[in-house]
Amino acid sequence: MPDYLDDLRLAHVLADAADAATMARFKALDLKVETKPDMTPVSEADKAAEELIRGQLQRARPRDAILGEEYGIEGTGPRRWVIDPIDGTKNYVRGVPVWATLISLMEAGEGGYHPVVGVVSAPALGRRWWAAKGHGAFTGRSLSAATRIHISGVGKLSDASFAYSSLSGWEEQGRLNGFLDLTREVWRTRAYGDFWPYMMVAEGSVDLCAEPELSLWDMAANAIIVTEAGGTFTGLDGRPGPHSGNAAASNGLLHDELLGYLNGRY
């Protein structure tokens, strides 16, 4: 099996470059923000960070394909880098530090593409998380200054911490009642939002999280980090990986109950 460590090192270099670009414009008074056709915001920093990552990938991995939130798909082949230059743009443009650059390498295999490397870098929080297939999940400032992370051992919903992003998507999908029933069963709920709940599941400080509507670039890096930390990452339909257009992540012990509530089976 490939060890993917060279790709992981490259992903860290890409994240370093993106961090420098995004932090340089964070809280800038003249930051330019536009509205995309789907009515979500995009800043000049989103575009600049993705252009920077794409440029470095084209030099370092010219045979690999690239899929990014702002500029779509480029190239073909069995290896595909998936980029969200700023996950949490609404936070970014309002000066909230909970946002991150998400970088993943996906490789073609049985049933489609699967994430094999993931880096989530949140420079305004001073945090970074990463994983490579078969090598575990870590957090730290760099590859040489890292701590291995692992999911929690909480086995009862009544003891569990559940994190989410917002309520509106659950209501739009007709899943709000199941969502609210779940919140009544768990020990604690918090709406941390975006990438952060998945990283906390991987670290064991949160036990389960879910979002009702997502794109591949929102999930690919999170998925490999959660699973390499020993957790479970699926769609709401139970399909493993980041392919369902939504996500549920947990320590594994509570995953069936998480899906049961969100699909209205309880």
Side-chain angles (χ1 to χ4, degrees):
M1 184 180 77
D3 66 16
Y4 302 110
L5 294 181
D6 283 344
D7 296 308
L8 178 61
R9 282 187 281 269
L10 174 59
H12 275 273
V13 171
L14 300 173
D16 289 343
D19 286 355
T22 52
M23 285 301 291
R25 299 299 292 153
F26 185 48
K27 297 187 178 182
L29 297 178
D30 60 344
L31 181 72
K32 295 182 177 66
V33 182
E34 304 168 13
T35 300
K36 294 192 284 190
D38 64 1
M39 302 308 293
T40 61
V42 58
S43 74
E44 63 181 84
D46 292 78
K47 294 180 177 180
E50 184 167 326
E51 288 169 353
L52 192 63
I53 293 169
R54 283 176 178 269
Q56 292 201 15
L57 280 172
Q58 285 160 356
R59 290 189 293 274
R61 297 288 190 275
R63 296 181 179 180
D64 293 353
I66 306 171
L67 171 66
E69 179 175 9
E70 307 308 334
Y71 295 105
I73 185 73
E74 181 178 358
T76 59
R79 289 164 47 98
R80 178 182 296 172
W81 293 86
V82 179
I83 305 157
D84 189 343
I86 299 179
D87 182 54
T89 297
K90 292 177 183 177
N91 283 346
Y92 184 89
V93 302
R94 289 297 303 270
V96 178
V98 183
W99 50 270
T101 295
L102 278 53
I103 301 169
S104 178
L105 172 63
M106 301 186 74
E107 198 165 66
E110 186 176 348
Y113 285 84
H114 305 282
V116 294
V117 167
V119 171
V120 172
S121 190
L125 293 176
R127 297 294 309 275
R128 184 177 290 186
W129 302 261
W130 62 89
K133 185 177 180 181
H135 290 277
F138 296 83
T139 187
R141 294 302 182 106
S142 67
L143 281 166
S144 59
T147 302
R148 189 159 187 168
I149 56 177
H150 200 270
I151 45 87
S152 76
V154 173
K156 293 182 179 179
L157 277 183
S158 58
D159 296 329
S161 181
F162 170 49
Y164 60 97
S165 286
S166 68
L167 295 178
S168 58
W170 300 105
E171 186 170 30
E172 289 164 7
Q173 292 193 7
R175 299 179 187 265
L176 184 59
N177 288 339
F179 175 90
L180 293 175
D181 287 343
L182 175 61
T183 67
R184 297 181 184 108
E185 293 298 318
V186 298
W187 167 65
R188 189 172 194 243
T189 62
R190 283 293 182 272
Y192 300 108
D194 300 306
F195 68 93
W196 208 6
Y198 303 96
M199 299 303 99
M200 288 191 275
V201 167
E203 289 183 319
S205 53
V206 162
D207 310 300
L208 50 160
C209 68
E211 288 183 271
E213 187 174 3
L214 294 166
S215 297
L216 181 60
W217 45 77
D218 298 311
M219 297 183 282
N222 296 336
I224 182 69
I225 293 171
V226 167
T227 54
E228 283 293 320
T232 300
F233 189 106
T234 72
L236 297 177
D237 57 4
R239 180 185 178 191
H243 305 288
S244 301
N246 45 48
S250 77
N251 63 6
L253 300 172
L254 301 169
H255 207 78
D256 288 345
E257 289 176 278
L258 171 63
L259 294 181
Y261 276 98
L262 296 179
N263 287 297
R265 293 198 295 266
Y266 287 102

